[in-house]
Amino acid sequence: MNGAVLMPTYGQPENDSKAMAVLAEAFPGREIVGVDCQVLIRQHGSLHCITMQYPKL
């Protein structure tokens, strides 16, 4: 993922597009990848919850 930035999306196309444009400007040369987080937000989480790193046991 060194060449990309993951961005949560919430089923609001206009707002999601605006946020992607801001991130594209902030991270030139990187792909902005939208991840639909609508289900996660209903479960009281979001993108950070499913991308956490767990220590090796």
Side-chain angles (χ1 to χ4, degrees):
M1 293 305 306
N2 290 333
V5 175
L6 297 178
M7 185 198 95
T9 61
Y10 298 105
Q12 299 178 353
E14 187 175 327
N15 290 329
D16 294 339
S17 293
K18 287 179 185 178
M20 287 184 117
V22 169
L23 285 178
E25 189 173 324
F27 295 97
R30 298 196 185 211
E31 178 184 6
I32 308 302
V33 179
V35 178
D36 184 357
C37 291
Q38 293 179 83
V39 171
L40 297 170
I41 206 77
R42 286 192 297 269
Q43 297 174 359
H44 309 290
S46 193
L47 185 58
H48 67 279
C49 297
I50 62 169
T51 58
M52 290 175 44
Q53 297 178 3
Y54 292 95
K56 187 174 181 179
L57 297 177

